[in-house]
Amino acid sequence: MLAAVREELVETGFAQVTVEKVARRAGVAKTTVYARWRDLPGLVVDLLADLSTTRVPLPDTGSLDEDLRLVARRLLELMRAEPDMTMFRAIVATAVHHPEAREALSAFFRQRLATTAELVDRAIERGEVPPGTCRLEVVRTMSGAFYYRMFITGEPLTEAVADRAAAVAAHSARAGLLLAAPADGEGGDSEGSNGEGGDRAAGEAPHTDAPHTDGPGAG
């Protein structure tokens, strides 16, 4: 069923997808779909959960600059993969109007952020960036440039954009511009001197146990 809904989203976009079409593609009765998922947003929620289980290793080059550059290049590849991004845009469109899909998308990104933030932990341990650097804000600083272009301005995404975004995030972290706020209630970013703590408060698993995931929104 999840494969079927993914294919339908890619081929037709969310506005044209129906439970009946998904059931037909999956070869099951539509009553079976309604009994388990109720509606299309329910299927999208499970699709996001399924995407979150894909695992890939994070880079570990010994340099935050290079680690972030490699993550940014990987994100660029994913955003250029048109079938997957067509699906992802459809999921984002669903989340705008359906609270359950919105929460599933938020959980997906929280997991992505927590996983990629391991790169910052390593940089803190190596002394590349100050203790207390906000793990999540480093990743947000890098990835924000991608999503701004993709969903707001429609500007092209290039290797130069990816490399610059990574360099800005690394430089900002080294300069102490991304230290955790003492009490940041938005997203739970307040952290202790070891870069841990607050980003767990948002319901994320400890970073040592977070799965390495792939898919749209790496970072």
Side-chain angles (χ1 to χ4, degrees), residues 4 11 24 29 31 53 58 69 83 85 92 95 98-99 101 103 105 130 149 154 156 160 175 178 186 209 211 218:
E11 289 186 14
R24 191 181 309 120
T31 53
T53 64
L58 285 174
R69 189 186 72 83
M85 289 317 301
V92 171
H98 298 277
E103 176 51 37
L105 187 63
R149 284 168 171 79
L178 301 179
E186 294 294 325
D209 296 327

Side-chain angles (χ1 to χ4, degrees), residues 17-157:
V17 177
T18 65
V19 170
E20 288 79 4
K21 288 181 179 179
V22 173
R24 191 181 309 120
R25 184 181 289 267
V28 302
K30 65 180 180 181
T31 53
T32 301
V33 183
Y34 282 120
R36 176 166 178 178
W37 286 284
R38 269 194 350 234
D39 53 21
L40 184 60
L43 276 165
V44 170
V45 168
D46 272 10
L47 177 60
L48 277 168
D50 184 65
L51 290 173
S52 298
T53 64
T54 306
R55 298 167 181 259
V56 295
L58 285 174
D60 188 4
T61 65
S63 164
L64 179 63
D65 293 75
E66 183 63 11
D67 284 347
L68 288 176
R69 189 186 72 83
L70 292 174
V71 170
R73 286 295 187 102
R74 176 57 178 153
L75 182 54
L76 178 65
E77 291 177 11
L78 292 168
M79 288 189 166
R80 284 176 167 175
E82 190 55 38
D84 284 344
M85 289 317 301
T86 297
M87 175 199 67
F88 197 64
R89 290 187 190 97
I91 290 174
V92 171
T94 308
V96 170
H97 303 288
H98 298 277
E100 288 184 0
R102 170 72 267 176
E103 176 51 37
L105 187 63
S106 296
F108 176 82
F109 276 112
R110 283 197 300 269
Q111 184 185 53
R112 303 290 317 198
L113 281 167
T115 300
T116 310
E118 293 180 28
L119 303 178
V120 184
D121 291 336
R122 299 171 188 164
I124 292 172
E125 292 170 0
R126 292 191 298 262
E128 287 186 81
V129 298
T133 296
C134 179
R135 308 165 65 240
L136 302 185
E137 201 59 33
V138 175
V139 182
R140 291 191 188 107
T141 298
M142 180 197 71
S143 58
F146 289 88
Y147 294 109
Y148 180 79
R149 284 168 171 79
M150 170 161 285
F151 293 112
I152 305 300
T153 67
E155 297 172 81
L157 292 168

